[in-house]
Amino acid sequence: MYERLERFVETVETVGATKAGSSKTITIESATASALVAGVDIGATSVAVVAFAQDGSVRTAWHRHNGHPVQVVRDALAELSVDPSARIGVMGAGAGRLVSQGVGSSVDEVRAIITMVRRRFPEARNILDIGG
């Protein structure tokens, strides 16, 4: 899960966050501004959200969804002050379900990985992704 969250962060050239415990919110920089861009990864058991605000701050949240990923994502977006008009990219096992309810647009995980690797490691010739 952390690696997938990191891909969101790296794709927009900023820093990532660590996962700890069963539910954790990590503030990388304090922010009062609403987020303009957010990335959501809905996995089989958890949700990871990263939000980028106009003031340059980055906020993240990670929560187990216990079978209710859509509600947990909505709560996490509110928790991170994601503006309703923000661009929200969604990927992972539950992406289609969230997008079908009008939240965000689907992001192809393979393209996100390729973009991150090309930016961080332009000399790389191969990518090995072992999902979890």
Side-chain angles (χ1 to χ4, degrees):
M1 189 287 308
Y2 169 72
E3 292 165 359
R4 293 171 90 184
L5 174 59
E6 186 177 56
R7 285 184 215 129
F8 271 123
V9 177
E10 294 295 339
T11 299
V12 293
E13 301 175 332
T14 188
V15 296
T18 60
K19 175 183 82 168
S22 62
S23 181
K24 181 83 174 171
T25 299
I26 303 147
T27 302
I28 295 175
E29 294 181 31
S30 61
T32 56
S34 294
L36 299 175
V37 179
V40 177
D41 181 11
I42 303 176
T45 61
S46 63
V47 168
V49 180
V50 61
F52 305 92
Q54 188 171 16
D55 66 0
S57 63
V58 180
R59 294 165 302 207
T60 64
W62 179 88
H63 300 284
R64 291 199 182 279
H65 59 64
N66 299 314
H68 304 284
V70 174
Q71 186 57 51
V72 172
V73 168
R74 290 181 189 276
D75 293 347
L77 292 171
E79 169 188 345
L80 298 176
S81 302
V82 174
D83 189 298
S85 64
R87 292 187 346 239
I88 301 171
V90 184
M91 72 180 196
R97 188 171 168 195
L98 188 66
V99 172
S100 73
Q101 294 191 22
V103 179
S105 57
S106 185
V107 173
D108 182 273
E109 183 176 350
V110 174
R111 289 182 190 263
I113 293 167
I114 291 169
T115 300
M116 185 274 299
V117 170
R118 283 186 175 159
R119 289 182 181 175
R120 284 285 301 248
F121 309 101
E123 70 284 357
R125 295 184 47 154
N126 297 297
I127 301 169
L128 177 61
D129 177 29
I130 301 174

